[in-house]
Amino acid sequence: MTLTSPLHSALSASAVHDNSEHGAGGRWSVHAPAPSRPDIVRDLIDRVVAADRRWEFASSNTAAGPAYSPYELLDAANTEALRRIAGQHGWPGFSLVGQDGSEAALRLALRVYEPHDDHEFVRALLRLLTTAAGCGEATWAQWAHLQDRVSVLNGYDQQYGTQYRHDASPLEPELYPVADPQTLAARRITVGLTPAPCPQALPGPRT
């Protein structure tokens, strides 16, 4: 499968990427008005905070089997919340939820739980995020993370080097295979990422 990058000229003037993976302090460097739905912002952030605690524990727990069911239940609940929000509002963009809410939505999108492995919802989220990025309601860096996630889930090489395996060694995550590594730096710069990939705090898919 061949994936095409968004044109550099399509990057919104309202989205200013700084020279780091997620911006200063782990946030996207975006100039945006106050969110119109602070209640959704709080819900998204609360879910990420609670999930981070479980994801951190899960990444250090190498046991298999039933021990993972609480994490799957949490991911499933967060997926349904994100499905409800996206169904009503589309991708949670800057106007709706601001910078913090948008980043929280991405973190949840990267851990969408679909037990039948059809990945239909995460692909739908990618379409919504593509539209949002084109309208300046999200960044192409966010899009790149979710695009890579979809590629990995479907067994393809990622394009932007944002997705890591965390299962084998939580302290030394392994980068999933990247298509055409020689041009990776150029592709990353195009979407506002640093030239070289690096392990990051965003949760990666369990395999």
Side-chain angles (χ1 to χ4, degrees):
M1 179 178 70
T2 301
L3 300 174
T4 57
S5 302
L7 295 176
H8 189 274
S9 60
L11 295 175
S12 170
S14 66
V16 182
H17 308 290
D18 72 1
N19 194 31
S20 65
E21 189 76 18
H22 302 297
R27 302 183 183 202
W28 304 103
S29 180
V30 176
H31 300 300
S36 63
R37 290 295 301 270
D39 55 321
I40 298 179
V41 178
R42 177 49 50 195
D43 181 42
L44 289 169
I45 291 176
D46 286 348
R47 288 179 180 279
V48 167
V49 169
D52 275 351
R53 297 192 185 105
R54 293 213 179 215
W55 288 332
E56 181 179 3
F57 179 77
S59 68
S60 64
N61 181 2
T62 57
Y68 280 118
S69 59
Y71 314 119
E72 293 176 347
L73 290 173
L74 181 63
D75 285 346
N78 290 337
T79 296
E80 288 310 305
L82 193 55
R83 191 189 303 275
R84 182 176 63 252
I85 293 169
Q88 294 175 352
H89 304 282
W91 177 260
F94 300 135
S95 297
L96 186 75
V97 296
Q99 298 177 157
D100 292 341
S102 182
E103 182 177 357
L106 176 63
R107 291 173 68 89
L108 296 180
L110 291 171
R111 289 303 302 265
V112 159
Y113 179 71
E114 296 180 274
H116 301 298
D117 293 328
D118 58 7
H119 313 307
E120 179 181 353
F121 180 50
V122 72
R123 288 197 301 267
L125 286 175
L126 178 60
R127 291 192 294 270
L128 293 174
L129 180 51
T130 302
T131 300
C135 296
E137 284 290 326
T139 68
W140 290 112
Q142 290 174 304
W143 173 88
H145 280 85
L146 195 56
Q147 174 67 79
D148 276 355
R149 172 69 165 143
V150 169
S151 295
V152 167
L153 286 173
N154 287 279
Y156 297 105
D157 291 347
Q158 58 179 325
Q159 295 287 312
Y160 300 99
T162 67
Q163 299 296 293
Y164 289 78
R165 294 185 179 95
H166 295 263
D167 293 338
S169 173
L171 298 179
E172 297 182 6
E174 176 186 4
L175 188 67
Y176 277 97
V178 175
D180 193 8
Q182 292 79 11
T183 61
L184 174 60
R187 291 197 303 273
R188 286 175 60 87
I189 291 171
T190 298
V191 294
L193 296 171
T194 55
C198 59
Q200 72 244 193
L202 287 179
R206 288 196 296 268
T207 55

